[in-house]
């Protein structure tokens, strides 16, 4: 083999090595680009998830605020209704002493339920002229079903007077 052939073979081998290195470098570059694309896609998905999570968090915070507002409103309403009930109950007992009450307060007896007051009109003078069942209401409050039933029984004349006598000689009280 002569020197020229040897040099051609060495050059061919070097060319082959250079081509293989170029293919290897191109392959590495392609692999790096694919990994880079995977990383970018993963980051994009992660950003989307973060954005969704932040949106969900904001929505949850708004819902929490709404719930807290509803709780606060319910508390206020409860206190207001409770106050109204207390004022109503006190008013029922004080009604005979309010201006414009048309009966003598000394003739009034408080019952509370199912009707607030019974008025024995004229009792203070010693001459009862009528008996009035009176329900005290404030504002726009309405009669309950039970109060309506009492009113209907009275207005239809289904009212009577009865006496219950306790046997004091051999009574259940003695047995206790």
């Amino acid at each position: 083999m002569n020197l020229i052939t040897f040099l051609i073979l060495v050059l061919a081998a070097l060319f082959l090595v250079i081509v293989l290195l170029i293919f290897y470098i191109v392959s590495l570059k392609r692999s790096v680009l694919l990994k880079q694309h995977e990383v970018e896609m993963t980051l994009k998905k992660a950003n989307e998830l973060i954005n969704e999570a932040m949106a969900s968090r904001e929505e949850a915070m708004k819902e929490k605020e709404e719930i807290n507002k509803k709780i606060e409103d319910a508390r206020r309403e409860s206190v207001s209704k409770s106050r109204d009930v207390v004022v109503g109950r006190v008013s029922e007992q004080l009604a005979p002493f309010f201006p414009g009450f048309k009966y003598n307060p000394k003739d009034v007896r408080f019952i509370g339920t199912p009707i607030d007051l019974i008025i024995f009109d004229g009792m203070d003078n010693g001459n009862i002229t009528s008996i009035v069942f009176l329900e005290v209401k404030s504002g726009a409050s309405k009669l309950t079903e039970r109060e309506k039933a009492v009113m209907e029984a009275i207005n239809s004349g289904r009212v009577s007077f009865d006496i219950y006598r306790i046997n004091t000689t051999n009574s259940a009280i003695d047995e206790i």
Side-chain angles (χ1 to χ4, degrees), residues 2 29 43 80 89 116 127 131 145 148-149 157 161 175:
N2 65 16
K29 189 174 182 181
L43 286 173
S80 175
R89 288 188 179 164
D116 296 326
N127 184 24
I131 297 172
E145 292 303 314
K148 287 178 186 176
F161 181 87
E175 295 174 15

Side-chain angles (χ1 to χ4, degrees), residues 165-175:
R165 294 198 184 272
I166 297 175
N167 183 354
T168 57
T169 56
N170 246 345
S171 72
I173 295 173
D174 293 335
E175 295 174 15

Side-chain angles (χ1 to χ4, degrees), residues 26-105:
V26 168
S27 173
L28 281 177
K29 189 174 182 181
R30 179 178 280 161
S31 187
V32 166
L33 287 174
L34 285 173
K35 286 292 181 189
Q36 185 178 2
H37 180 70
E38 279 182 36
V39 168
E40 287 174 2
M41 293 307 291
T42 302
L43 286 173
K44 183 178 177 184
K45 285 181 184 178
N47 281 332
E48 289 173 359
L49 289 173
I50 289 170
N51 289 338
E52 287 177 18
M54 289 177 70
S56 293
R57 182 178 184 269
E58 287 178 24
E59 186 177 324
M61 293 298 285
K62 286 179 184 176
E63 287 179 13
K64 180 183 175 187
E65 287 176 18
E66 289 175 14
I67 289 170
N68 287 339
K69 185 182 181 308
K70 286 179 182 178
I71 289 171
E72 188 59 34
D73 290 346
R75 282 184 182 145
R76 261 191 241 108
E77 183 178 346
S78 175
V79 167
S80 175
K81 285 182 180 179
S82 178
R83 185 181 317 116
D84 291 345
V85 167
V86 170
V87 167
R89 288 188 179 164
V90 169
S91 297
E92 290 168 357
Q93 294 191 26
L94 295 178
F97 306 102
F98 287 165
F101 189 78
K102 66 181 185 179
Y103 301 100
N104 182 344

Side-chain angles (χ1 to χ4, degrees), residues 86-131:
V86 170
V87 167
R89 288 188 179 164
V90 169
S91 297
E92 290 168 357
Q93 294 191 26
L94 295 178
F97 306 102
F98 287 165
F101 189 78
K102 66 181 185 179
Y103 301 100
N104 182 344
K106 293 179 181 177
D107 294 347
V108 177
R109 296 298 178 264
F110 178 78
I111 297 176
T113 183
I115 297 297
D116 296 326
L117 306 170
I118 294 182
I119 299 149
F120 300 94
D121 200 20
M123 182 171 63
D124 187 46
N125 300 335
N127 184 24
I128 296 176
T129 58
S130 66
I131 297 172

